[in-house]
Amino acid sequence: MSERMTTRERIQRMFDHKEADRVPIVDTPWESTIARWHREGMPAGVNWAEYLGADCVRFISTDNSPRYPRRMIEDTDEYRVYTTEWGATRKDYHDQSGALGYLDYTVKDRASWAEAKERMQPSRDRIAWDQLERDYRRWRERGDWVMGILWFNFEVTYSHMVGPQLFLAMAEDPEWVMDIVNTMLDTSIALLEMVWDAGYHFDGVQWYNDMGFKGKQFMSVPMYRELFKPADKRAAEWAHAKGLPVYYHSCGNLGPLVPELIDAGVDMLNPLEVKAGMDPLALKAEYGDRLAFHGGLNAVLYEQPESMWAEMERVIPTMMEDGGYIIGTDHSVPDSVGLEQYREFIARAKELGKYS
């Protein structure tokens, strides 16, 4: 298939398990990686994917948070400590885009959750209408893929709102956990419905729900089925009712949860974290007729470029068979990767990912 396609056409064919002109290339560089690329010659004010010739995915996000006041507590040359709209106190190091830490949370129990829940009512001022008016037409004219973002479930509750105490609640007060998750989802869907009804249509629906770490999952399969799968399924049904595919990001080793995600309605899984124990080729062999994939190239190998090139040659030809694959690393692009190295990554990906 020699005719050049747009990103939108290319990615849609991957969801449909069909071949395209080539496999799409989609990745997520750290902010510090982008800063390095600017120092190494990438012009200011450009979109890195447009500049380097990767595929462009655009995101329509909304704010379904409790809208707690953001406040700077401490800002030094090394780090900053501040509060978030989710009520968390967070510490970020300026030179470590991939590292962050949460120090405290406002929502600690049912009483504090009740107050937060009252603050999570959907309203039009939670949507960045100015950005959509400015950018949406250009995205469509370029043929970019536009993703609507839902914000809910285990990861958001754990990382952004409640913290480690969520694990105790999952065992001792599952109804509270499900109330948080479903409130988040209700608000997020209501906001994306406003976007859709205003004529800003998206091509797929994505949400983030990291449920694994190295070698293991944060919960058992029965606990996922009880607490989180119903919300995943409801979100997928909402997307599918609009004719939209579901893209699911979950870091770590998902192993036993993959069949559950397929049953919930997930169409594409990312990032297939190799360093956590995920095997993209085994996933393709077992689930490739029911699930599409994005990622699966071990980001650790960027430290040894020749090892990354060899891994690309091993992984891409099999993953791209019959469509159903987007090229990308198994998490993100760290700032150890220079501009020319990543330019070569894209060139090799395009060559390996060509369909005849």
Side-chain angles (χ1 to χ4, degrees), residues 212-213 250-253 270-279 296 330-331:
F213 53 100
S250 187
C251 293
N253 189 312
N270 162 268
L272 321 181
E273 195 168 358
V274 177
K275 52 190 175 293
M278 297 288 275
D279 182 340
D330 68 344
H331 191 272

Side-chain angles (χ1 to χ4, degrees), residues 65 78 82 147 237 245 248 260-261 265 267 290 356:
S65 76
E78 182 182 1
Y82 59 99
M147 196 79 82
E237 288 172 347
Y248 201 96
E260 301 297 321
L261 295 177
D267 298 299
R290 291 166 285 164
S356 57

Side-chain angles (χ1 to χ4, degrees), residues 10-11 14-15 23-27 55 57 147 247 268 270 272 292-297 319-320 323-329:
R10 216 171 268 136
I11 292 180
M14 294 303 104
F15 275 107
V23 181
I25 306 163
V26 178
D27 231 322
D55 288 276
V57 176
M147 196 79 82
Y247 177 102
M268 182 177 287
N270 162 268
L272 321 181
F293 304 99
H294 174 202
L297 295 171
M319 295 299 292
M320 66 186 280
Y325 181 56
I326 296 176
I327 294 172
T329 47

Side-chain angles (χ1 to χ4, degrees), residues 262-313:
I262 294 172
D263 184 63
V266 171
D267 298 299
M268 182 177 287
L269 182 63
N270 162 268
L272 321 181
E273 195 168 358
V274 177
K275 52 190 175 293
M278 297 288 275
D279 182 340
L281 299 185
L283 290 166
K284 178 78 172 185
E286 187 166 1
Y287 305 113
D289 59 334
R290 291 166 285 164
L291 189 63
F293 304 99
H294 174 202
L297 295 171
N298 190 350
V300 172
L301 299 179
Y302 276 127
E303 298 289 342
Q304 303 170 323
E306 293 304 322
S307 297
M308 175 60 84
W309 312 149
E311 184 71 351
M312 293 170 73
E313 292 176 2

Side-chain angles (χ1 to χ4, degrees), residues 194-214:
M194 292 180 194
V195 172
W196 187 272
D197 290 344
Y200 297 108
H201 292 180
F202 29 95
D203 304 306
V205 177
Q206 174 178 345
W207 59 94
Y208 302 86
N209 193 28
D210 293 353
M211 294 190 292
F213 53 100
K214 188 171 182 178

Side-chain angles (χ1 to χ4, degrees), residues 74-87:
E74 185 178 7
D75 193 359
T76 73
D77 292 339
E78 182 182 1
Y79 62 83
R80 59 178 182 153
V81 179
Y82 59 99
T83 62
T84 74
E85 61 272 26
W86 290 91

Side-chain angles (χ1 to χ4, degrees), residues 8-146:
R8 188 183 186 191
E9 293 167 334
R10 216 171 268 136
I11 292 180
Q12 184 61 62
R13 292 187 72 84
M14 294 303 104
F15 275 107
D16 294 339
H17 297 263
K18 296 178 180 178
E19 295 184 355
D21 57 341
R22 63 167 175 81
V23 181
I25 306 163
V26 178
D27 231 322
T28 308
W30 294 357
E31 289 183 12
S32 55
T33 309
I34 297 295
R36 172 178 176 170
W37 293 352
H38 285 310
R39 294 194 301 270
E40 294 176 348
M42 187 171 72
V46 303
N47 175 277
W48 74 267
E50 291 182 40
Y51 177 72
L52 292 174
D55 288 276
C56 289
V57 176
R58 312 296 185 171
F59 301 96
I60 298 178
S61 298
T62 62
D63 177 13
N64 67 329
S65 76
R67 286 180 150 182
Y68 287 110
R70 292 178 65 95
R71 181 170 59 91
M72 185 65 66
I73 299 173
E74 185 178 7
D75 193 359
T76 73
D77 292 339
E78 182 182 1
Y79 62 83
R80 59 178 182 153
V81 179
Y82 59 99
T83 62
T84 74
E85 61 272 26
W86 290 91
T89 301
R90 176 167 158 171
K91 182 177 183 178
D92 293 347
Y93 288 90
H94 295 307
D95 61 349
Q96 299 179 40
S97 295
L100 55 88
Y102 287 91
L103 307 179
D104 197 10
Y105 296 86
T106 299
V107 177
K108 301 176 182 292
D109 50 31
R110 279 182 173 266
S112 51
W113 160 243
E115 195 271 339
K117 184 176 180 178
E118 286 298 314
R119 303 172 65 102
M120 295 174 67
Q121 303 302 315
S123 57
R124 290 182 60 83
D125 62 345
R126 291 174 173 269
I127 298 166
W129 297 110
D130 289 348
Q131 181 200 25
L132 290 171
E133 291 169 6
R134 182 184 69 241
D135 296 335
Y136 182 82
R137 178 176 293 183
R138 181 174 63 88
W139 296 344
R140 284 307 187 204
E141 289 172 350
R142 278 181 44 86
D144 297 340
W145 180 267
V146 180

